Amino acid sequence: MDKNTRVGKRKKRNKAMRIFCSVLAVILVAIGGFALYEYNTVKNAADTAYRSGGLGDAENGSKNSVISNSKPIAILLMGTDTGALGRTYKGRTDSIMVAVLNPKTKKTTLISFERDQQVNLPDYPENSPSKLNAAYAYGNAKELAKVLKKYYNIPINAYVLINMGGLKTIVNKVGGVDIAPILSFSYEGYTFTKGKTTHMDGAKALAYSRMRYDDPEGDYGRQKRQRQVLSALLKKAESATTLLNSSFISSLSKQVQTDLTFSDMTSMAKSYLAATKDLKTDYTHGTGYMQAGVSYQKISVSERQRISNLIRKALGLKTKTVSTDSIDTSTSSSSSSSSTTTDSNTGTAGSDTTGGAGNTAGPSDNGAAAGDGADSGTTGGYSAGNDQNNSTGY
């Protein structure tokens, strides 16, 4: 994998991290203020978003016991564009992360996992080896949690699946956002003037955040603009009157699927919300290779151990040695350098040395997420669909 591809993927990962943190914070703030609005409106929205993921009790306890005792919680975050950009199939998860919210330290640790990591699926040996992002397509959140347990020895207490394309709708539902463009350009029929505060609806905000080729900073510039949009959205999220309207809540519930109940969310809003304001991010570092015409990422044993230690420490658990899988027996360190970042106060926007922009997909992306170019994404006879000329966005 060349340097530009690695940089593009790293920016895409951090863009997704910002999106996840924004949506997570919006959910907690919205639920936390439910007493100010109609109880049934918020509860019905939570009920709409609820789907059991089949996750059992984890090493650190069941979901209910963890939340009721305000213990650090590990939430599996998955991003997909299903239903956006004309995609209606279930498909694979474009982004895979684990968020650890620790109410005691008031910190959140967010780790992004390389979706192209080659893995064996515990419940689907006939479809193994496969890519990490295929686990959800085959066995939902339960299977993905099992794979992460197998390779990283980490517990998963709950999951959240987010339709990334839905943020365009969410921006519209909060009445748009006000942004002062950091450069002048025209894109997708919209014109932006540097320094001139502009009110943007969802479509315009998406266009503003997507442009890359006319930005002298390339993906770095796009990353800055995407953080602007997310920061503006969070400012709207600070207003209970903006969040707690039936239209917004209904829209949000249609973009999110989770096994967190209404009761779970209200408890988390009281005990965990402060933790989202201090964010530490990292990601798995791997090396690319081709096998049977399909691109994969090899994550070394030492790197898996590093990630395992980070997550377990954030959860207040003792470290454990990760297993050596037959697919991945490499013990050498990845060629990529560490990219841990810390964001204070906002939990979303802020200083990020790695950036957060995405990378435009190539002309043919069969089932893989935007940002990889030509990647068949087909494993074990499964194809998640064919997405032509798909470009990265919200």
Side-chain angles (χ1 to χ4, degrees), residues 212-288:
R212 178 176 58 143
Y213 295 111
D214 292 334
D215 193 316
E217 294 186 86
D219 278 341
Y220 286 101
R222 180 162 67 173
Q223 168 249 325
K224 292 178 181 178
R225 286 178 276 113
Q226 288 170 341
R227 283 206 300 262
Q228 272 190 295
V229 173
L230 295 175
S231 296
L233 181 59
L234 276 188
K235 286 184 179 180
K236 284 295 188 76
E238 293 173 356
S239 169
T241 56
T242 297
L243 288 176
L244 299 178
N245 66 78
S246 58
S247 180
F248 174 82
I249 293 171
S250 175
S251 174
L252 183 62
S253 67
K254 293 176 182 177
Q255 310 303 335
V256 177
Q257 180 177 305
T258 180
D259 63 348
L260 292 170
T261 65
F262 177 68
S263 177
D264 293 334
M265 293 180 188
T266 55
S267 295
M268 290 183 68
K270 297 174 184 176
S271 303
Y272 292 85
L273 184 58
T276 64
K277 299 182 182 298
D278 189 348
L279 173 67
K280 177 182 180 182
T281 68
D282 208 327
Y283 62 92
T284 54
H285 301 71
T287 54

Side-chain angles (χ1 to χ4, degrees), residues 150-194:
K150 173 182 174 68
Y151 286 89
Y152 294 91
N153 212 336
I154 57 175
I156 298 296
N157 303 114
Y159 85 91
V160 176
L161 177 68
I162 301 171
N163 174 13
M164 309 298 271
L167 283 192
K168 172 183 174 181
T169 302
I170 293 175
V171 169
N172 284 334
K173 293 301 182 180
V174 299
V177 292
D178 295 323
I179 296 174
I182 56 178
L183 78 162
S184 299
F185 66 93
S186 295
Y187 185 68
E188 294 185 348
Y190 296 101
T191 298
F192 304 95
T193 304
K194 181 179 179 180

Side-chain angles (χ1 to χ4, degrees), residues 119-130 134-140 143:
V119 299
N120 283 321
L121 304 176
D123 295 332
Y124 299 88
E126 70 278 11
N127 297 120
S128 299
S130 188
Y136 171 77
Y138 286 118
N140 298 308
E143 186 67 12

Side-chain angles (χ1 to χ4, degrees), residues 50-105:
Y50 179 81
R51 294 289 188 283
S52 174
L55 302 178
D57 292 353
E59 177 186 349
N60 60 331
S62 67
K63 179 189 67 172
N64 291 341
S65 66
V66 167
I67 294 176
S68 62
N69 291 292
S70 299
K71 296 168 60 178
I73 187 172
I75 303 176
L76 174 60
L77 303 175
M78 300 171 288
T80 180
D81 262 336
T82 299
L85 302 176
R87 296 166 64 177
T88 57
Y89 53 87
K90 178 180 179 181
R92 303 186 177 199
T93 46
D94 296 342
S95 301
I96 302 169
M97 304 178 196
V98 170
V100 176
L101 283 70
N102 191 322
K104 295 179 174 61
T105 62

Side-chain angles (χ1 to χ4, degrees), residues 326-349:
S326 59
I327 288 180
D328 183 3
T329 58
S330 170
T331 56
S332 62
S333 297
S334 167
S335 59
S336 301
S337 59
S338 180
S339 180
T340 302
T341 65
T342 300
D343 292 347
S344 298
N345 299 325
T346 64
T348 52

